[in-house]
Amino acid sequence: MFFDSHAHYDDGRFDADRAELLNSFKQNGIDYVVNIGTNLETAQKCLELSEKYDFIYCALGFYPEDVGTISEDDILKLEDLCKSSKRVVAIGEIGLDYHENEVSREMQKIWFERQLRLAEKLDLPVAIHMRDSTADTLEILKNSSVKTGVLHCFSGSCETAEIALKMGFYISFSGTVTFKNAKNVAEAAKIVPDDKILIETDCPYLSPEPNRGKRNSSLNLKYTAQKIAELRGASLEHIAHITSENAKRMYGIKN
């Protein structure tokens, strides 16, 4: 019933009950998960999970805060990992994050552009992280040759969503859409077309209401989907169906 388009089940916060949790998904209507890598170490863990569980696919990439010490050799290693398994369905999460300023903006741009070229070479979509960096992120995407991808955990304006949609990108909403103070997210969730909207957890982060503040998991997707259904005047079943079909189409998952 549900497709979690962006999760981090390699995270240590799942070490105590990972297998039990993942094995419960089928009976709870979780059909697919794309687990996201942020560096070479997590990429390997993502691959291992995708080989162990037939409903888990993976996206591999270097997160903006992980590019400070990487080299071209690391990009080549990432390319080899992507080529090593058909379970790899995207490059991500990649992008720009100007909030923490742990890595210089220029360094982030260099490696963001390099990973976009890798996605183009491998003909894969991209999962984009964009925090306090809207103008630069959109400009770099506009100037790239990447065909499609997703702005994950969208927190921007309707105007930003419309720009990304015109470039062929999907928009993914997380538990933040349920937060009372996230009015711009709610407004954007109303205007994204049926064929371009995705849902995600970004777990273990961003649990939706009524579980805000607790460890997140795909079992909470129903709350995000229900909120979006309310905002759009649609049924929960409709939102579950379209977001699942959109994710399968974007990630190229045929089964």
Side-chain angles (χ1 to χ4, degrees):
M1 185 175 183
F2 292 109
F3 191 130
D4 189 346
S5 65
H6 192 112
H8 298 279
Y9 283 110
D10 53 284
D11 191 278
R13 276 163 280 193
F14 294 108
D15 286 352
D17 63 344
R18 183 179 291 107
E20 179 183 1
L21 177 62
L22 295 176
N23 285 325
S24 75
F25 282 2
K26 291 293 185 182
Q27 67 193 57
N28 284 287
I30 310 300
D31 290 337
Y32 298 94
V33 173
V34 171
N35 204 69
I36 309 292
T38 58
N39 51 46
L40 292 178
E41 180 182 358
T42 58
Q44 189 60 53
K45 293 178 180 178
C46 288
L47 285 169
E48 291 169 2
L49 283 172
S50 71
E51 295 297 335
K52 187 173 183 179
Y53 298 94
D54 63 2
F55 58 89
I56 294 182
Y57 292 81
C58 54
L60 309 182
F62 288 98
Y63 185 76
E65 293 179 10
D66 284 275
V67 302
T69 59
I70 69 171
S71 65
E72 179 62 21
D73 186 55
D74 292 310
I75 297 294
L76 296 178
K77 290 177 181 177
L78 176 65
E79 180 176 349
D80 287 342
L81 287 174
C82 291
K83 291 177 177 178
S84 72
S85 173
K86 293 182 179 179
R87 310 296 292 181
V88 179
V89 293
I91 300 296
E93 67 187 278
I94 63 175
L96 302 174
D97 190 319
Y98 293 169
H99 184 75
E100 299 294 344
N101 292 313
E102 292 184 5
V103 179
S104 73
R105 296 184 178 188
E106 289 308 309
M107 183 72 73
Q108 289 187 45
K109 291 177 184 178
I110 289 169
W111 293 113
F112 181 27
E113 291 170 348
R114 178 64 180 90
Q115 291 182 92
L116 289 172
R117 294 197 299 274
L118 176 61
E120 178 188 2
K121 178 180 180 179
L122 300 180
D123 194 25
L124 289 173
V126 289
I128 300 299
H129 175 97
M130 181 175 70
R131 190 180 186 193
D132 294 346
S133 59
T134 299
D136 283 352
T137 303
L138 293 178
E139 183 66 19
I140 289 173
L141 288 174
K142 179 182 177 182
N143 292 327
S144 79
S145 298
V146 169
K147 296 176 182 177
T148 191
V150 56
L151 299 189
H152 111 88
C153 193
F154 189 76
S155 61
S157 64
C158 291
E159 180 183 9
T160 296
E162 288 170 350
I163 293 170
L165 289 164
K166 287 178 181 177
M167 292 194 295
F169 279 76
Y170 293 72
I171 307 294
S172 181
F173 295 94
S174 68
T176 55
V177 75
T178 70
F179 299 171
K180 292 180 180 179
N181 62 343
K183 297 186 184 303
N184 59 327
V185 180
E187 290 303 311
K190 295 178 183 178
I191 62 99
V192 176
D194 269 9
D195 63 345
K196 288 294 184 180
I197 188 169
L198 305 181
I199 56 174
E200 64 172 275
T201 57
D202 198 21
C203 65
Y205 315 103
L206 301 176
S207 285
E209 299 290 356
N211 295 319
R212 187 174 182 179
K214 300 177 182 179
R215 186 191 71 175
N216 200 7
S217 82
S218 302
L219 299 180
N220 286 327
L221 269 180
K222 58 187 177 183
Y223 299 114
T224 298
Q226 183 60 57
K227 181 63 177 181
I228 292 172
E230 293 171 4
L231 290 167
R232 295 166 73 93
S235 68
L236 174 63
E237 291 75 18
H238 177 70
I239 297 302
H241 175 72
I242 63 171
T243 54
S244 182
E245 290 303 306
N246 292 343
K248 285 192 287 184
R249 182 172 60 255
M250 190 201 75
Y251 284 126
I253 297 172
K254 305 298 183 182
N255 52 317

